Amino acid sequence: MKLNKLIIPLFLSVNSAVIYANQNASELIEPIMVTIPAGSFQMGNTEDEDAQPIHKVTLTEFSLGKYEVTVREFRQFVEETDYEMPTKCIHQLNGWFNYGETNGSWENNSLNTSDFQPVNCTGWLAANAYTQCLAKKTGRPYRLPSEAEWEYAARAGTTSKYYFGDDLEQALVCEYENTADLTGENILQRDSSTSYVNFFNGKSNCVDHAAYASIVGMYKPNPFGLHDIVSNVVEFITDCYKDNYKNAHNNGQAWIDNDCKYRVARGGSWHWNTFPVSQRGVVGEDFVGAVEGFRIALDGAAPAIPSNTVKFIKALKTAQRSEQLRRDAVLPYPATVTNLKLDKEAGIITLKWDKSSQSDIESYRIYRNAATGGVFKLLAANIIETTFKDANIDNHQYEYTVVAVRHNQQGDYSNVVKTPTSWVHAPG
């Protein structure tokens, strides 16, 4: 089962009604909107059953948030309305996400560190309430986007797997999106002894400089001017989820029924490698997790930017500039170790590899898993030589890989070597 299609209903009790402080002009920050031109596209794909049949959709002009809604924007909504937010969220890393509720909220969880990251731990209900409040305060009918609007805007006139091409080597994505990359791999191994390798759809072969959610707008936009549309956090959609496109609207309207327990989710997050723009996700209305967020939609052209949003833009630019300076100061990651070889003799594994050509490499780390396809765990660190012996083995078929280390940053994994398969004697 595709992980982004796992349905994890928690059925948290969340108020669905918003208590508005007043009916006057709102002090809420209005989102920075981008006008999406009218047009048509072929929606769906031939790889996923729930994305069929492929059908033509024609949309009128609409607007979409340039960025995902941030913690700072959402804070004003909560403070003004006293909306009852969830106090538990799936957000702790424990051999990957612990699929149980843990203490944490939209403003206090271990994965958010900036007011300018996309807000998470809200759930679909609170995200929708935010749009309703914003609409009522401004007089503009802000809402969550429909599924067709999202895919059309994410494609931005392209027909490739992603708006920046098919990227078969997964080497280009880090210029455009925050995804599972070498930065995240470093942090996951350091903090949680977990790995993107052999996890779901793996990791990209590049560096995006964000281990978790990124401050919005740090990567190149798509041709429509939208940032982080494919991957930063998964985005909530208005549509109720159904498992195919039969009888789907051809005008871009959301598909809604009277018993809507599950909603469509679109895009990926820092937690997974990149999903194609046509791939669908699904989430329970009551599910509250740390890799889901949202952006805002609006009929017609983008409105003029109000003064309170101008202030937000200035603060965001300051945060983006500081974050870019931090990223620019990060040294390049060490080159990948090459030519790893394995020899087994007298119950001892000997590993050998080529010495790094980079003169400032400080040491090497050895990773091992106890089964093909398992998660690599750190076996040894601070290895100075280019050889290592492992006598702590049994009849498992182990896999090994080696990384070079410099300034506590490790490069990508070397080629993988494995021990020979052992004979297993069955009784009789």
Side-chain angles (χ1 to χ4, degrees), residues 89-309:
C89 171
I90 292 177
H91 74 287
Q92 298 292 352
L93 288 172
N94 179 17
W96 284 115
F97 274 69
N98 176 18
Y99 284 104
E101 298 170 284
T102 48
N103 291 329
S105 69
W106 64 274
E107 63 176 348
N108 180 28
N109 66 75
S110 60
L111 302 178
N112 258 10
T113 57
S114 168
D115 258 14
F116 298 98
Q117 289 172 320
V119 67
N120 60 12
C121 291
T122 66
W124 187 93
L125 293 172
N128 189 57
Y130 172 91
T131 67
Q132 292 175 344
C133 176
L134 196 62
K136 194 167 186 177
K137 288 293 184 180
T138 63
R140 285 188 271 270
Y142 288 110
R143 53 181 172 78
L144 293 175
S146 72
E147 186 175 15
E149 287 174 333
W150 189 97
E151 185 171 330
Y152 175 74
R155 287 187 178 279
T158 65
T159 57
S160 50
K161 191 175 183 180
Y162 315 106
Y163 63 82
F164 46 85
D166 290 327
D167 197 17
L168 298 179
E169 300 299 321
Q170 290 288 281
L172 184 62
V173 57
C174 292
E175 298 180 28
Y176 296 88
E177 300 287 340
N178 175 24
T179 185
D181 74 314
L182 185 56
T183 308
E185 185 71 16
N186 268 254
I187 300 304
L188 290 173
Q189 286 286 9
R190 185 194 72 187
D191 294 350
S192 307
S193 190
T194 53
S195 174
Y196 289 129
V197 177
N198 295 327
F199 170 73
F200 191 40
N201 61 346
K203 72 175 182 65
S204 59
N205 298 313
C206 54
V207 175
D208 66 24
H209 295 291
Y212 302 128
S214 171
I215 289 174
V216 299
M218 294 301 301
Y219 305 96
K220 295 178 181 178
N222 81 347
F224 281 162
L226 302 171
H227 290 266
D228 314 308
I229 187 71
V230 170
S231 184
N232 193 16
V233 291
V234 177
E235 298 183 11
F236 294 126
I237 301 297
T238 296
D239 298 59
C240 301
Y241 178 80
K242 62 175 183 176
D243 60 7
N244 59 65
Y245 283 148
K246 293 178 181 178
N247 302 317
H249 299 305
N250 60 8
N251 60 359
Q253 291 183 354
W255 187 85
I256 305 293
D257 64 17
N258 294 325
D259 184 26
C260 194
K261 295 181 179 179
Y262 303 104
R263 298 282 178 167
V264 173
R266 279 305 197 108
S269 80
W270 57 265
H271 179 53
W272 303 306
N273 208 348
T274 318
F275 298 133
V277 294
S278 61
Q279 190 163 327
R280 308 176 72 205
V282 57
V283 64
E285 275 197 356
D286 294 324
F287 174 69
V288 179
V291 299
E292 292 83 22
F294 63 102
R295 73 178 70 220
I296 303 294
L298 183 67
D299 293 337
I305 299 176
S307 59
N308 52 342
T309 302

Side-chain angles (χ1 to χ4, degrees), residues 5 10 37 45 73 75 103 117 174 194 222 250 260 284 286 319 340 356 366 390 392 397 407 428:
K5 294 182 181 178
L10 298 184
N45 65 60
E73 293 167 280
R75 176 177 288 111
N103 291 329
Q117 289 172 320
C174 292
T194 53
N222 81 347
N250 60 8
C260 194
D286 294 324
L340 175 62
S356 175
I366 316 298
D390 182 13
N392 185 23
Q397 186 179 28
H407 300 299

Side-chain angles (χ1 to χ4, degrees), residues 23-39:
Q23 302 300 319
N24 298 324
S26 176
E27 294 300 320
L28 295 178
I29 301 167
E30 290 190 56
I32 307 163
M33 305 297 288
V34 173
T35 300
I36 308 300

